[in-house]
Amino acid sequence: MNQAFLKSLRNIYPAERLLTRDVELLPYESDALTAFSAVPGAVVLPVNEAEIIDTVRLCHKLAVPFVARGSGTSLSGGSLPIPDGLTIGLNRLNRIKRIDPEQRIAVVEPGVINLAITEAAQPYGLYYAPDPSSQSICTIGGNIAFNSGGAHCLKYGMTSNHVLGMRVVLADGAVTQFGSESIEGVGIGPDLIGLFVGSEGLFGIALEITVRLMPQPELYRTVLAAYDDLGRAGDAVSMVVASGLLPGAMEIMDLLAIKAAEASVQAGYPDAEALLIIELEGEAPQVEAEFDQLRGIIDQSGAFETRVANDEEERTRIWKGRKGAFSAVGRLSPDYVVQDGVVPRSRLGEALVEISALKAKYQLDVANVFHAGDGNLHPLILYDGREAGALEKAEALAGEILALCIRLGGSITGEHGIGMEKRDYLPAMFSEEEIEIMQMLRLAIDPNEIANRGKMFPGGEAPALAQHGMHPLERAGVISRE
Amino acid sequence: MTVCAPASVDELQTLVRVSERIHAIGKGSKTALHRRVNGAVLADLSALSGIIEYQPSEYTVTVRAGTPVRDLSAALRERGQYLPCDPLLPDSATLGGTVAGNLSGSRRYRYGGVRDFILGAEVVDGMGRAFRVGGKVVKNSAGFDLSKFLVGSLGAYAIMTELTFKVFPDVPRFRSLAVDYTSLEDALAAIYFINQNIFELDALDLIPLAGRWRLLTRLAGFDETLPRRVERFSAAMTHHTSLLHLAELDESATLWDPLADLTGAYLVKVALSPKQVPAFDHAITAAQRRYGVGANVAWVADEDLSQLVDALKACSLTGLCLRGAVQSAIIGAPLENVLAARVKQVLDPLGKLV
């Protein structure tokens, strides 16, 4: 690593927060997409905004690439280190600066854990809505970079829809602030929050974030319906949508995913080809009435078994299998890759049939778990990395699924982002001119292309795919690839 | 003033390329936004109108930017759906103008504003390039989200030609209640109570009346559940807030039009937080005003802008002038211009779009 750069870093950081020895750097070599790894030149652990700003300005001055990292739960390789670049670990900026329950907002630092906001808001009857499956460990800074979603996006949106204001340092060291404490966010002038959130760390680093909190629903009604055919579960979703109900979540799991969940957390799921979970939420009288309607629809939909959560414990049990499905798949296969494509909801059935055909073609197992309400598929492609060429085969199958999503009029990513993993597929979704405009925008903000260099845009140097198996936290069931 | 009405995206691209300065207009419902810039061509987008694709089962709709809000609302209503960001001028605005101005009505309270319901767009930028931003499905996180950036952009970065929105099923019935308080402080305390409670209101506005402050509230839902919900809500407000009076109001066409009583020559939108309301309100007591979206937006009308501009500056707030003769539609505290300037540099380096 550039010695002049390291020397300047030592002026900002004490030795214990500037990591340069191999043994200290190794833990940072991958994020949750363990198929990629790269050793950074150094890792710094700032404890305040000023240190972050000084670091970014230094990187800009000496054209040293950097990646900002929270807990490293990106599923697209978004927080993969840049070889010989700097990794800026933000976990120590983990203060919730203020909760204002009256205005339903929280002001937080970027290293605050997603779930910690909800925990801090709970005493006031409030919560932070976006709920990626890694919410017990992922940070709000990472959620902002990748516009993270979760199972409950249909009604209240993703991270971008819950950020009201932010102060950021852009990649060239400029510090700027936009948004407000109003629910309108930016309100007047172009929505800079909407532009910054989801920019995958290419624009800069969020230093302070104001998020909106939501009142905890008075009542949840969660129903689990079992089908002997995956298509029927998909049809049930269409029936619910056609009825005019707007559930908070609609999730489908297929046979393989159900088996995995059973093996892992013993959720007590029925033995079925497909399971559909639907959750209604809101004011009790309204939810009860909607639930009557939903029951009628489910009864007509050909479900052979229906279970209703009558209390919070039963609700947690239904969700436990679903939320743990990904890590559970690790019990069935030594390795897997997960995709995140989106298709129009009405074409879910078609997509599943094609994925099934691809399974046969590649002779690989694929477990399907998806956010049916918004057409967001999460096929898990199982393979054994010890077999030569197996990973490449799985990646090829994954690529065909992405192409399928685009062909059906959807997107290559609903919530994981492009990152390292899908950058070669960006041209399948955007024209050359559109990508060029995005690149010009990046250059206007980051002339040296130092912020998260090598991500989102196709081409460039990429570390080779390597076989690393599951993320240790994933194996432990703490996080999952949703 | 040259006015051109391009009949296609191609024609708009050519128009941008040959013009030195150009300003896009839909139906011109927000007169202050269309300040006359010397030598600027006025690009009338009303010919770029119509619903391109509406799939009720997908909760998505794609329209040309010059489509009147009224036309889209009617099409959605036929299928029991609506645009929850609730465009502010339902009878006179286009969707392009609604996005460019970031203008939502009172029902925006329930599910979110324009930024929360725009999914993608096609635009022509200041270089005459036509391209797509965002996506067409309800969930997408590929590429930079320039579609949200268009919200509030006033056509100064790119001219929208096509817009895709997320839509939701609408609820069949409404009940509106007026809850009156003697002071602004009491009324705001009631909003804070609601904010931390379980009631899911469809809309919540705050209106100064002679000698009292009114919370105008609305519940939406099924016929069979509304009586019980109204009863519970009324009881909670009666027991937990120091109200003066509570009464149910008849739904009328103007009850939920936040601009209905704002007749002054100038009309301004201000985004503010509830806790900024007392100081701001104190400085504009002579103006006609209504606070929308749980007191997160102020609609202010007056015969003269000077008092309002002073109040905005004193409170570090920015306003968007929708009606009245102004040099610049943005008034009060200046906007952030670091990041926005970088976008301008890329999309409109020659500064054609005004």
Side-chain angles (χ1 to χ4, degrees):
Chain A
M1 181 146 231
N2 180 330
Q3 286 308 311
F5 176 69
L6 275 179
K7 194 172 166 221
S8 303
L9 278 183
R10 286 198 186 98
N11 291 332
I12 307 175
Y13 297 95
E16 69 272 18
R17 293 194 286 114
L18 168 57
L19 317 180
T20 54
R21 292 183 302 138
D22 284 350
V23 63
E24 297 171 321
L25 299 177
L26 271 178
Y28 292 88
E29 69 171 1
S30 279
D31 55 22
L33 182 64
T34 48
F36 291 102
S37 70
V39 181
V43 175
V44 291
L45 304 171
V47 293
N48 58 45
E49 269 186 29
E51 288 181 351
I52 301 175
I53 295 166
D54 287 349
T55 306
V56 170
R57 286 180 178 163
L58 182 65
C59 287
H60 174 64
K61 194 172 137 200
L62 299 180
V64 177
F66 68 85
V67 51
R69 176 191 155 115
S71 300
T73 55
S74 171
L75 289 167
S76 57
S79 54
L80 180 77
I82 300 154
D84 217 31
L86 183 68
T87 291
I88 306 175
L90 297 171
N91 297 69
R92 297 192 183 191
L93 281 99
N94 62 353
R95 281 187 308 152
I96 294 176
K97 291 182 163 178
R98 187 155 67 87
I99 297 257
D100 180 344
E102 294 182 332
Q103 300 195 103
R104 289 204 299 233
I105 55 170
V107 181
V108 304
E109 293 183 331
V112 167
I113 305 273
N114 172 302
L115 195 60
I117 304 178
T118 287
E119 285 165 0
Q122 239 157 13
Y124 308 102
L126 304 172
Y127 77 113
Y128 178 65
D131 63 338
S133 280
S134 54
Q135 69 182 142
S136 62
I137 182 164
C138 65
T139 63
I140 196 76
N143 291 177
I144 280 174
F146 281 83
N147 192 17
S148 306
H152 291 81
C153 290
L154 179 62
K155 211 163 167 180
Y156 295 114
M158 321 215 333
T159 299
S160 189
N161 306 101
H162 295 267
V163 176
L164 300 178
M166 53 203 308
R167 181 164 56 247
V168 307
V169 55
L170 298 179
D172 64 359
V175 175
T176 183
Q177 190 159 338
F178 34 83
S180 66
E181 296 190 353
S182 165
I183 191 88
E184 278 277 279
V186 171
I188 311 288
D191 183 15
L192 298 168
I193 292 172
L195 178 64
F196 194 92
V197 177
S199 58
E200 304 203 355
L202 270 65
F203 288 167
I205 300 177
L207 302 169
E208 183 186 282
I209 305 105
T210 303
V211 297
R212 74 171 165 134
L213 304 171
M214 312 254 304
Q216 287 161 6
E218 181 183 12
L219 182 69
Y220 287 104
R221 273 279 176 258
T222 313
V223 59
L224 176 83
Y227 297 86
D228 53 19
D229 178 75
L230 192 53
R232 276 216 185 104
D235 292 345
V237 170
S238 301
M239 289 165 73
V240 172
V241 167
S243 74
L245 289 174
L246 184 61
M250 287 192 273
E251 302 281 308
I252 291 180
M253 297 166 71
D254 75 356
L255 178 65
L256 198 53
I258 300 165
K259 269 192 187 160
E262 272 310 305
S264 166
V265 298
Q266 294 86 41
Y269 285 158
D271 193 8
E273 282 291 323
L275 287 181
L276 170 64
I277 299 171
I278 298 188
E279 186 161 275
L280 298 167
E281 57 182 38
E283 277 187 49
Q286 179 68 19
V287 171
E288 295 288 14
E290 289 176 2
F291 186 61
D292 284 346
Q293 198 179 331
L294 179 64
R295 285 294 289 267
I297 297 166
I298 299 289
D299 288 348
Q300 307 252 306
S301 70
F304 68 78
E305 188 179 338
T306 308
R307 292 181 190 173
V308 178
N310 288 310
D311 53 35
E312 190 53 33
E313 197 188 320
E314 290 179 8
R315 175 177 178 245
T316 308
R317 219 152 84 108
I318 287 180
W319 277 110
K320 192 176 166 195
R322 165 62 189 86
K323 294 228 169 192
F326 285 61
S327 49
V329 166
R331 290 176 173 259
L332 305 183
S333 167
D335 302 285
Y336 64 88
V337 289
V338 58
Q339 282 305 322
D340 172 43
V342 181
V343 296
R345 194 191 295 114
S346 57
R347 308 193 75 171
L348 266 177
E350 217 173 314
L352 293 170
V353 169
E354 293 217 27
I355 289 173
S356 204
L358 288 170
K359 265 160 70 169
K361 178 177 159 190
Y362 283 87
Q363 297 196 307
L364 288 174
D365 265 330
V366 179
N368 284 294
V369 175
F370 47 92
H371 307 308
D374 37 35
N376 192 185
L377 306 165
H378 287 313
L380 293 99
I381 303 158
L382 279 50
Y383 68 97
D384 184 345
R386 290 163 301 193
E387 284 170 23
L391 172 60
E392 287 72 15
K393 201 161 92 169
E395 290 283 334
L397 169 49
E400 289 215 38
I401 294 176
L402 293 183
L404 166 70
C405 290
I406 294 170
R407 201 167 67 241
L408 294 179
S411 169
I412 55 177
T413 173
E415 54 190 7
H416 296 174
I418 304 289
M420 174 63 69
E421 186 201 24
K422 289 182 282 290
R423 55 189 198 149
D424 289 336
Y425 297 97
L426 196 68
M429 208 171 142
F430 293 101
S431 73
E432 213 171 289
E433 189 176 45
E434 285 158 357
I435 293 177
E436 192 189 315
I437 289 166
M438 285 191 232
Q439 267 167 334
M440 286 167 67
L441 192 55
R442 192 259 181 100
L443 282 169
I445 292 164
D446 179 11
N448 296 329
E449 297 181 84
I450 52 172
N452 218 1
R453 180 184 286 174
K455 314 292 165 59
M456 191 192 285
F457 293 111
E461 295 287 308
L465 279 176
Q467 192 44 63
H468 284 264
M470 288 175 85
H471 192 284
L473 285 171
E474 195 175 10
R475 213 182 288 280
V478 175
I479 59 170
S480 65
R481 300 188 212 185
E482 183 191 357
Chain B
M1 171 71 50
T2 312
V3 182
C4 293
S8 66
V9 172
D10 271 0
E11 283 186 16
L12 177 63
Q13 287 181 268
T14 307
L15 185 62
V16 171
R17 289 197 186 110
V18 302
S19 305
E20 269 180 43
R21 307 192 94 190
I22 184 163
H23 175 80
I25 184 166
K27 293 176 79 177
S29 61
K30 301 161 286 284
T31 51
L33 300 186
H34 309 298
R35 63 204 154 93
R36 299 296 189 256
V37 179
N38 270 347
V41 171
L42 203 58
D44 174 353
L45 299 188
S46 50
L48 298 179
S49 171
I51 295 170
I52 296 170
E53 195 178 8
Y54 173 33
Q55 294 190 296
S57 63
E58 298 298 333
Y59 291 163
T60 57
V61 65
T62 300
V63 300
R64 292 190 183 84
T67 307
V69 168
R70 196 175 36 206
D71 294 1
L72 175 61
S73 300
L76 295 174
R77 203 176 306 121
E78 253 176 54
R79 304 300 299 265
Q81 298 187 333
Y82 80 125
L83 190 52
C85 59
D86 188 24
L88 178 70
L89 300 159
D91 296 318
S92 56
T94 63
L95 286 149
T98 300
V99 173
N102 184 15
L103 295 168
S104 286
S106 298
R107 291 194 75 191
R108 174 239 185 281
Y109 180 80
R110 178 69 182 92
Y111 289 114
V114 180
R115 67 183 306 270
D116 302 305
F117 286 88
I118 188 168
L119 297 173
E122 279 205 9
V123 299
V124 172
D125 73 1
M127 298 297 283
R129 295 173 292 210
F131 58 94
R132 163 162 297 283
V133 295
K136 278 193 166 182
V137 279
V138 295
K139 203 174 187 186
N140 166 46
S141 66
F144 299 139
D145 193 356
L146 275 163
S147 64
K148 284 200 179 69
F149 177 86
L150 295 171
V151 177
S153 66
L154 301 176
Y157 302 82
I159 298 173
M160 294 164 246
T161 56
E162 195 183 299
L163 294 160
T164 300
F165 296 101
K166 176 161 90 166
V167 295
F168 275 169
D170 203 356
V171 279
R173 292 288 183 273
F174 305 108
R175 298 275 292 272
S176 291
L177 291 157
V179 195
D180 292 353
Y181 297 85
T182 49
S183 69
L184 173 59
E185 287 64 35
D186 285 351
L188 284 171
I191 289 179
Y192 301 149
F193 168 74
I194 292 169
N195 278 350
Q196 295 170 80
N197 224 294
I198 46 144
F199 302 108
E200 295 191 331
L201 301 183
D202 189 60
L204 171 61
D205 281 8
L206 171 66
I207 308 166
L209 299 175
R212 60 176 65 184
W213 282 82
R214 168 163 295 176
L215 282 196
L216 190 58
T217 66
R218 179 150 89 167
L219 288 159
F222 295 164
D223 262 343
E224 65 269 32
T225 66
L226 274 173
R228 172 86 187 108
R229 291 175 60 206
V230 167
E231 190 188 309
R232 288 186 341 147
F233 179 63
S234 305
M237 296 308 280
T238 305
H239 289 120
H240 298 289
T241 73
S242 42
L243 56 77
L244 194 63
H245 182 67
L246 184 147
E248 186 153 1
L249 301 179
D250 288 335
E251 292 285 330
S252 74
T254 55
L255 184 64
W256 285 104
D257 174 2
L259 308 182
D261 298 322
L262 306 187
T263 54
Y266 293 89
L267 173 66
V268 175
K269 171 195 170 178
V270 181
L272 77 183
S273 74
K275 288 187 177 171
Q276 289 176 304
V277 169
F280 178 66
D281 193 79
H282 186 71
I284 55 158
T285 46
Q288 301 168 328
R289 61 213 189 273
R290 173 162 167 163
Y291 298 93
V293 200
N296 283 280
V297 176
W299 303 106
V300 188
D302 212 340
E303 295 308 321
D304 175 2
L305 217 48
S306 59
Q307 190 194 37
L308 177 58
V309 170
D310 290 345
L312 288 170
K313 285 183 177 161
C315 299
S316 299
L317 291 168
T318 308
L320 177 69
C321 192
L322 305 177
R323 183 171 72 214
V326 282
Q327 276 302 308
S328 162
I330 307 277
I331 58 171
L335 289 179
E336 190 280 354
N337 61 7
V338 178
L339 184 53
R342 315 286 178 94
V343 183
K344 181 80 174 175
Q345 184 189 320
V346 171
L347 297 184
D348 185 26
L350 306 175
K352 282 188 178 188
L353 305 180
V354 293

